[in-house]
Amino acid sequence: MNNVGMERTKIDPLWIVLVIGIVVFAGIALLVKQERITWLDTSFFQLFSWVDDRHIPLFEGFSVLGSLPVIVTLTLLLIGYLVIVRKDTLGGLLVFAVVGGGNLLLDFIKEQMGRERPDISLIAEDGLAFPSGHAMIGIIIYGFLAYFVGRSIQSQKIRISIVLLCSVLALLAGISRFALAVHFPSDVIAGYALGLALFAWSVRIHKRAHGKFQRAVQEK
């Protein structure tokens, strides 16, 4: 009886990730609006003060990981893999909706926040700053790659390797943005937080729907 009660009150870790992501994003957004985030941005900029013109090609290469062409290519490849190979139409639709919807949400938030980019950038970049699209969408698409590809692999070591690789790629895509000073560090951290929240929400939807589908098949 006690075990049943404990199972019923067990909190889904995805909910925890979702809530933390939203809280962190909202907190940073509030501080940005109030112009009380300078301490964080200054600290990170000082940490990467060694980056100069010699390092631009390296960080531009990392930045490409979160660029629009790469994101679009990875999204289409993942959707094709899910729909054609895995026969997971729901997964394909979810990836399309969240990546596409995430970009629309990103543009909306940028317009509402209206934060200009740093004036110390090492390369030219247009548009508003908050939050970082490379960080936000990067977390979503590389998170999806780790989740959906990992589900089809039996070896735990390979699954862990895929998760670690995708995590590093997502982190590099975001870090490169404030290393090149085209974003404030708080833009990138907020992007990570919101992207992680959307990813957790999406995975939860997929797991619940997939579970219901499996139960329906078993009942037949």
Side-chain angles (χ1 to χ4, degrees):
M1 191 73 178
N2 290 335
N3 291 334
V4 173
M6 290 177 64
E7 289 179 3
R8 287 179 179 176
T9 57
K10 186 178 179 180
I11 300 175
D12 187 344
L14 290 171
W15 271 119
I16 298 175
V17 174
L18 174 61
V19 171
I20 292 175
I22 292 175
V23 169
V24 170
F25 172 79
I28 294 176
L30 181 61
L31 291 175
V32 168
K33 271 295 187 182
Q34 296 176 345
E35 299 182 353
R36 295 169 56 191
I37 199 75
T38 306
W39 59 273
L40 178 65
D41 292 329
T42 301
S43 298
F44 274 94
F45 276 144
Q46 288 177 346
L47 188 63
F48 280 79
S49 60
W50 54 271
V51 178
D52 56 29
D53 292 347
R54 296 171 300 173
H55 305 104
I56 289 178
L58 172 65
F59 285 102
E60 279 188 318
F62 292 151
S63 184
V64 168
L65 295 169
S67 65
L68 182 61
V70 171
I71 295 299
V72 170
T73 300
L74 291 177
T75 300
L76 293 176
L77 288 174
L78 182 56
I79 291 174
Y81 166 75
L82 289 171
V83 175
I84 299 172
V85 179
R86 301 299 300 173
K87 309 301 180 185
D88 186 356
T89 304
L90 173 63
L93 289 173
L94 193 62
V95 170
F96 176 79
V98 176
V99 174
N103 274 287
L104 294 176
L105 177 61
L106 176 70
D107 291 339
F108 175 77
I109 296 174
K110 281 179 179 286
E111 289 296 328
Q112 295 302 308
M113 295 296 294
R115 192 185 200 188
E116 297 294 334
R117 293 182 184 272
D119 56 9
I120 58 172
S121 59
L122 297 178
I123 61 174
E125 194 78 31
D126 297 324
L128 297 170
F130 186 92
S132 165
H134 279 64
M136 175 181 162
I137 305 301
I139 282 286
I140 293 173
I141 190 60
Y142 288 111
F144 278 156
L145 284 170
Y147 170 67
F148 285 114
V149 175
R151 283 170 61 88
S152 63
I153 295 175
Q154 297 297 322
S155 171
Q156 185 178 8
K157 289 183 178 180
I158 296 178
R159 285 201 305 270
I160 292 174
S161 298
I162 290 174
V163 170
L164 289 176
L165 174 60
C166 290
S167 299
V168 169
L169 293 177
L171 287 172
L172 288 175
I175 291 172
S176 67
R177 304 305 281 170
F178 66 76
L180 293 169
V182 294
H183 274 291
F184 292 100
S186 51
D187 300 333
V188 174
I189 297 172
Y192 283 147
L194 185 56
L196 198 59
L198 288 171
F199 168 71
W201 173 74
S202 305
V203 170
R204 192 171 192 278
I205 288 177
H206 184 265
K207 283 187 172 182
R208 286 174 63 97
H210 190 70
K212 288 181 180 179
F213 175 76
Q214 285 186 321
R215 286 193 294 272
V217 170
Q218 291 174 354
E219 288 175 0
K220 289 181 180 181

